[in-house]
Amino acid sequence: MSKLDHILKNNIDWVNSIKAEKVDFFEGLAEQQTPDYLWIGCSDSRIPATQLMGLMPGDVFVHRNIANMVVHADFNALSVIHYAVEYLKVKHIIVCGHYGCGGVRCALSDDRFGTVDSWIQHIKDVKHLHREELSKLEGVAKEDRLCELNTMEQVQNVCKSPPVQDAWERGQELHVHAWIYGINDGKIQNLQHSISGPV
Ligand code: CO
């Protein structure tokens, strides 16, 4: 017996609970996906994108990495954005950061962590960009603020990406939002930094 059998059992229970609500739910989804949202979030296990928004399979296209970064040379993230915008025609891209982000915490320390340091360097760049504001803060306040600033910077990076610029040039409806999630209360806050066209 596999140590993961309980997960496979959970899966069957989950399938049955969805079918109890809508018997042909999975058959419908097999035809096509038409999500309205692209979620760009942190890989953190405490932030299950679809679940915490109360949405269902088929509702959200998802990209996750350490500290919800959108790096210009990251073809993985760019391919996801391209596919979501040009083919799935999502109407909203949500970059959702979170308080207590381990990636952001690493960026605030001078310790070396190994391979992940190259990735963390992108968060350190954001820290450097906002060094004046951050220098006035300490401890958790500083960490929380960098989580917010990093999320808003990634929104800027989404907006500057070729697929998003092209979509706006075509006149396609597309809104990019910055949200932040509280792992201690499960609540999402809107950082009021939404962008709906070229600036
Ligand atoms: Co995180």
Side-chain angles (χ1 to χ4, degrees), residues 160-184:
K160 284 182 232 160
S161 72
V164 170
Q165 289 287 321
D166 291 348
W168 282 333
E169 210 164 285
R170 288 194 296 273
Q172 187 177 328
E173 184 193 351
L174 181 62
H175 312 280
V176 188
H177 312 274
W179 288 0
I180 194 148
Y181 179 76
I183 39 176
N184 57 348

Side-chain angles (χ1 to χ4, degrees), residues 91-161:
K91 292 187 178 64
H92 302 273
I93 299 177
I94 299 154
V95 180
C96 189
H98 70 104
Y99 295 120
C101 183
V104 169
R105 198 169 295 153
C106 288
L108 283 167
S109 94
D110 292 323
D111 297 343
R112 297 283 299 274
F113 300 93
T115 305
V116 76
D117 288 332
S118 322
W119 190 253
I120 301 297
Q121 189 58 48
H122 295 294
I123 315 169
K124 289 192 174 185
D125 291 344
V126 176
K127 180 181 79 171
H128 185 71
L129 201 62
H130 297 277
R131 58 192 179 281
E132 213 177 296
E133 179 182 348
L134 290 168
S135 71
K136 296 175 193 131
L137 299 168
E138 272 184 72
V140 179
K142 186 176 194 166
E143 195 184 292
D144 284 355
R145 186 58 183 150
L146 184 53
C147 289
E148 293 172 353
L149 291 168
N150 183 52
T151 304
M152 291 186 277
E153 283 303 328
Q154 303 320 308
V155 161
Q156 296 301 325
N157 289 347
V158 170
C159 293
K160 284 182 232 160
S161 72

Side-chain angles (χ1 to χ4, degrees), residues 42-44 47 66-68 98 100-103:
C42 185
S43 296
D44 194 303
I47 311 164
I66 293 173
N68 41 270
H98 70 104
C101 183

Side-chain angles (χ1 to χ4, degrees), residues 5-23:
D5 276 354
H6 67 290
I7 295 181
L8 300 178
K9 162 83 170 60
N10 288 349
N11 169 251
I12 296 299
D13 293 345
W14 175 74
V15 169
N16 290 335
S17 70
I18 289 181
K19 283 184 158 183
E21 296 282 317
K22 194 166 187 269
V23 72

